[in-house]
Amino acid sequence: MKNFLTLAMMLAFSCAGAVKVGVLLPLSGSGSVSGQAAQNGYRLALEEINRAGGVLGKPLELDFADDGSTPAKAVPEFVRLVTVDRVDFMAGGVSSATSIAVSGPARQYNTFMAWIGAAAVTVQDAFAGDPYFFHYHPWAYDNVTAVLAYYRYLKSSKGAKNIAIAYEDGPFGASGIDSLVALLKKNGFNVVLSEKFKSGSGNFGPFVSKAKAAKPDIIHWIGYDVDALPLATEIRQQGLNVGMVYGTPPSWPVGFEKNPLAQGVAGLSLWLPSSPQPASRSFVAAYQKRFGSVTEEYFAPLAYVNLKTLADAINRAGSTDKDKVAAELAKTDVDTPFGRLTFSESGKTKYQGFKAGSWLDFQFRDGARLPVYPVKFARGTIQYNSTR
C-alpha cells in the first residue's frame, strides 16, 4: 500500500506542469569555463530542489541555452527562451557584453532575471530601476574596492607603488578603466602604463615590452581565462621582473594551477573550496558526491545559490506571479558559501546581492589557490617578487 501511494504521488508530481527557468550561459567561447562551472551548480541545485518537492508542488525545469560568449548569439537565444519556450523566469548571465545585449529584449518582454554575473557598470545602467532584475555578482566598483584594499596592504608591507594595467577592450575591462586609474592615483599609486588588448588574441608582446621599460611593481590585468597563460608566457619569455602579477578574470583556465608559469600569480575570487563557512563546506561535500571532484570556480556555487534562492522565493510567493516572486526574493536573508546573502539597492538597480566584502585574494602556489588576503581568511603569507 505504501509503495502504491508513493508511486501515485510520483505520477501526480511528474504529470504536473513544470515551472520553467531559462538559463543563458557561455557554454562555448571565451567564457566557457565560467559557464560550464555555473551549469554544474545549476544542475546540483535543481536535483536538490526537485528531491525536496520542486516548487509549488511541481517539478522545477531548467532550459539551458548557450550564448557562445557573444552578444550576436546571446540575443536570439534569450528571445527564444522567453517567447518560444515561454520560460517563467530567466537565470544565468556571466558576460557583461552579452548582458547589455539582452537588456533590450528583457525590457521589451518584461522578463524576470536572476542574474549571476555581468559586473560592468554599463550593465547596471542598462537595468537601472528594473523591478525584475536581481543581480547576485558584485559590481565592478565592488571589485575595485576589494583590489584597492589589497594593493594598499602591498604598498604598506612591500613598498609596491608602480602599477601597469592591461585591460580587455570589451565592457568588462574597458567600462571602468578610467575610474580605476583615477582611484589608484588618488590613493598614492603610480599608474606607469595602461593599455587595452583584444581578449583571446594572445598578443601581449608589445604590452610586456613597454612594461619592462616602465618597471612596475604590479602587473594588473583585466580579461578572461583565455588571456592568463599567454600573458604569463610573455612575461617569462621577455624576463619581466615584477613584484606581482594580478588578474581578475571571472574564471581561470582549466589546469592553470598545475602550470609552472602560474606560480605566484595572484587573483580575486568570491569563493574557494577552503572557505570556512558551514554553507561552503556543505556545498563542497554535495558537489563532490555529485560530480566526483571539487571545483575552484566560484560560478558553480554562485549558480547553486542563485537557483536555490529563486526556488525558495517562488515557493514563498505561492505563485509564479512576477511581482509576488520579486517581493519574496527581495526578502532573501540566508547563509551561503559566500557568506550572508541579502538584496539592497545599488544606486541604480533595485536588487544587489553580494558586494565588496565578499571578495578574497589568493595566489597560485604549488598547484593550488592559496587564500592570502584579507588576513583573517589567509592560509599563508603573500609571496612577493615571485617572478624575480
Side-chain angles (χ1 to χ4, degrees):
M1 185 63 179
K2 182 179 179 181
N3 289 338
F4 175 78
L5 290 174
T6 301
L7 178 61
M9 290 175 62
M10 291 178 63
L11 285 173
F13 185 79
S14 63
C15 291
V19 175
K20 296 175 67 175
V21 177
V23 184
L24 187 67
L25 292 172
L27 299 175
S28 61
S30 60
S32 60
V33 174
S34 301
Q36 291 169 14
Q39 188 176 44
N40 278 354
Y42 281 121
R43 285 172 171 161
L44 179 60
L46 178 70
E47 291 165 6
E48 291 185 5
I49 291 164
N50 281 338
R51 277 200 301 270
V55 292
L56 308 178
K58 305 174 183 179
L60 183 64
E61 182 179 311
L62 295 185
D63 193 346
F64 287 105
D66 178 13
D67 68 22
S69 305
T70 66
K73 190 173 180 184
V75 171
E77 287 298 286
F78 183 93
V79 173
R80 177 183 62 79
L81 288 170
V82 174
T83 64
V84 179
D85 294 358
R86 301 182 68 82
V87 299
D88 299 288
F89 305 92
M90 281 294 298
V94 170
S95 158
S96 294
T98 58
S99 298
I100 292 169
V102 303
S103 63
R107 295 275 193 184
Q108 178 181 354
Y109 298 110
N110 212 23
T111 309
F112 193 111
M113 298 169 67
W115 228 229
I116 57 171
V121 175
T122 45
V123 178
Q124 186 185 47
D125 295 340
F127 288 94
D130 192 315
Y132 303 132
F133 183 72
F134 286 77
H135 190 247
Y136 285 64
H137 196 285
W139 292 112
Y141 48 76
D142 294 319
N143 307 3
V144 170
T145 298
V147 171
L148 186 60
Y150 183 53
Y151 284 180
R152 282 173 172 163
Y153 180 75
L154 290 179
K155 187 169 72 170
S156 64
S157 62
K158 309 294 183 184
K161 288 187 64 177
N162 301 319
I163 300 176
I165 302 173
Y167 61 96
E168 67 94 25
D169 62 359
F172 175 57
S175 66
I177 190 64
D178 291 340
S179 298
L180 172 63
V181 171
L183 192 61
L184 288 170
K185 289 180 178 178
K186 183 179 178 182
N187 282 272
F189 293 95
N190 304 315
V191 179
V192 297
L193 179 65
S194 177
E195 290 213 343
K196 63 184 176 183
F197 64 90
K198 179 70 69 179
S199 184
S201 68
N203 183 21
F204 288 100
F207 170 77
V208 174
S209 295
K210 293 177 183 177
K212 285 187 72 175
K215 301 183 184 307
D217 300 306
I218 298 170
I219 295 286
H220 179 96
W221 67 274
I222 310 166
Y224 292 95
D225 57 277
V226 294
D227 307 311
L229 190 55
L231 177 58
T233 300
E234 194 67 41
I235 289 172
R236 178 65 61 86
Q237 287 179 343
Q238 292 202 32
L240 172 60
N241 293 321
V242 64
M244 182 160 289
V245 178
Y246 187 95
T248 60
S251 296
W252 293 82
V254 175
F256 185 67
E257 69 277 4
K258 304 297 183 186
N259 192 313
L261 292 171
Q263 181 72 12
V265 171
L268 193 67
S269 182
L270 277 178
W271 170 86
L272 288 174
S274 58
S275 295
Q277 293 92 340
S280 177
R281 294 200 297 271
S282 297
F283 171 80
V284 170
Y287 190 96
Q288 188 163 28
K289 182 178 180 181
R290 171 63 176 83
F291 298 105
S293 61
V294 177
T295 181
E296 291 195 321
E297 300 299 340
Y298 69 80
F299 271 100
L302 193 56
Y304 175 86
V305 170
N306 176 241
L307 190 62
K308 296 276 274 191
T309 51
L310 176 60
D312 283 345
I314 297 169
N315 276 330
R316 292 198 306 272
S319 163
T320 56
D321 178 88
K322 288 185 286 190
D323 289 322
K324 293 180 179 178
V325 174
E328 291 301 326
L329 190 54
K331 298 174 185 173
T332 297
D333 187 357
V334 295
D335 284 323
T336 76
F338 312 94
R340 203 76 184 166
L341 172 64
T342 60
F343 289 99
S344 60
E345 289 190 19
S346 65
K348 291 187 177 180
T349 50
K350 296 186 67 174
Y351 305 113
Q352 173 59 35
F354 298 108
K355 302 178 180 67
S358 302
W359 288 111
L360 56 85
D361 300 276
F362 69 88
Q363 272 191 299
F364 288 102
R365 301 267 284 276
D366 302 322
R369 303 182 196 191
L370 181 70
V372 293
Y373 190 84
V375 174
K376 63 181 180 181
F377 295 134
R379 294 198 167 189
T381 57
I382 295 170
Q383 185 180 67
Y384 194 66
N385 297 331
S386 57
T387 67
R388 288 175 173 165

